[in-house]
Amino acid sequence: GDSVTQMEGPVTLSEEAFLTINCTYTATGYPSLFWYVQYPGEGLQLLLKATKADDKGSNKGFEATYRKETTSFHLEKGSVQVSDSAVYFCALDAGNNRKLIWGLGTSLAVNP
Amino acid sequence: NAGVTQTPKFQVLKTGQSMTLQCAQDMNHNSMYWYRQDPGMGLRLIYYSASEGTTDKGEVPNGYNVSRLNKREFSLRLESAAPSQTSVYFCASSERLGFPNQPQHFGDGTRLSIL
């Protein structure tokens, strides 16, 4: 069945460091891929998305490229800030009346 | 502001008590969802409603019931609360289930403790 695998956290970085959070997936067909962010005490917010191979989603300095050949959608940011401390979720939507498939989330802590 | 509104934000119950979590969205979305979030387990889908008048079980439906009251509202009921239901509950909505590229919009959550 469809699944999403995220790297385990927590990830701890210093401010201005480079961030990569790995996400790989298995799915039949051509799913859409999403990254959501959950700040402390809040609900999840859509961060970015990509709907077909080689698409790059971007928002707030974060980027992720839909790689069909490696079935990956890794999240990257060139210079993280303390305000980026949150939990990041990768998710997959294969359509066909299937619900979103969620990764377990990766916690990021950015220290000043 | 447009979005998903959940009430209450916090609740403490005793084992065996019942309560209903309320959710409303004003985005004219067809599909609505209830999740629970527990440490180390990510988001788990409890129930969902693909459209007004329909509801279906998710991954962890036992101990819960839902009502899709109308297009806007989707409530979650705990008939006899148990400590294992201590969790953070999120309601979400999306334009339409089964169409890819439909992001879900989340409420701020209900933090529920069962003693």
Side-chain angles (χ1 to χ4, degrees):
Chain A
D2 300 339
S3 67
V4 172
T5 303
Q6 284 183 240
M7 64 185 288
E8 289 190 22
V11 174
T12 303
L13 296 173
S14 298
E15 209 164 21
E16 299 184 1
F18 185 87
L19 169 70
T20 300
I21 299 178
N22 291 338
C23 172
T24 57
Y25 68 90
T26 58
T28 55
Y30 303 93
S32 295
L33 300 170
F34 304 88
W35 277 103
Y36 284 79
V37 58
Q38 183 180 28
Y39 298 105
E42 300 183 10
L44 282 73
Q45 305 173 25
L46 179 67
L47 180 60
L48 53 84
K49 65 181 182 183
T51 60
K52 60 183 187 295
D54 299 325
D55 267 3
K56 178 184 286 188
S58 61
N59 186 25
K60 299 182 180 180
F62 290 89
E63 294 183 338
T65 301
Y66 186 160
R67 302 283 189 200
K68 191 164 178 63
E69 63 275 15
T70 54
T71 62
S72 65
F73 192 54
H74 303 324
L75 183 68
E76 296 181 336
K77 187 174 185 182
S79 175
V80 293
Q81 306 300 312
V82 172
S83 57
D84 294 325
S85 297
V87 181
Y88 293 82
F89 291 88
C90 185
L92 173 158
D93 184 351
N96 298 321
N97 290 322
R98 297 179 183 178
K99 305 160 290 298
L100 277 182
I101 307 298
W102 294 90
L104 293 181
T106 302
S107 176
L108 170 66
V110 180
N111 298 319
Chain B
N1 291 338
V4 179
T5 303
Q6 289 183 237
T7 55
K9 294 188 184 303
F10 302 94
Q11 186 70 47
V12 178
L13 293 177
K14 294 181 180 179
T15 297
Q17 286 186 315
S18 62
M19 81 162 294
T20 300
L21 281 61
Q22 306 287 353
C23 175
Q25 54 90 10
D26 57 6
M27 294 172 283
N28 202 37
H29 283 170
N30 288 294
S31 301
M32 297 185 74
Y33 314 82
W34 276 105
Y35 291 94
R36 60 179 289 174
Q37 185 178 39
D38 302 290
M41 305 193 75
L43 286 172
R44 292 184 292 170
L45 184 64
I46 305 171
Y47 270 93
Y48 67 101
S49 171
S51 60
E52 185 179 355
T54 69
T55 60
D56 287 284
K57 295 178 180 179
E59 303 169 68
V60 288
N62 291 345
Y64 305 95
N65 286 299
V66 291
S67 296
R68 183 74 183 266
L69 303 170
N70 47 55
K71 192 171 186 179
R72 291 186 64 248
E73 297 173 289
F74 189 40
S75 63
L76 178 72
R77 183 161 178 85
L78 286 70
E79 289 291 352
S80 179
S84 61
Q85 294 178 303
T86 293
S87 188
V88 181
Y89 291 85
F90 289 99
C91 178
S93 70
S94 66
E95 187 171 338
R96 190 168 298 187
L97 178 70
F99 284 70
N101 190 30
Q102 297 296 324
Q104 292 184 9
H105 299 258
F106 284 78
D108 288 339
T110 296
R111 285 149 183 80
L112 182 62
S113 294
I114 316 295
L115 304 178

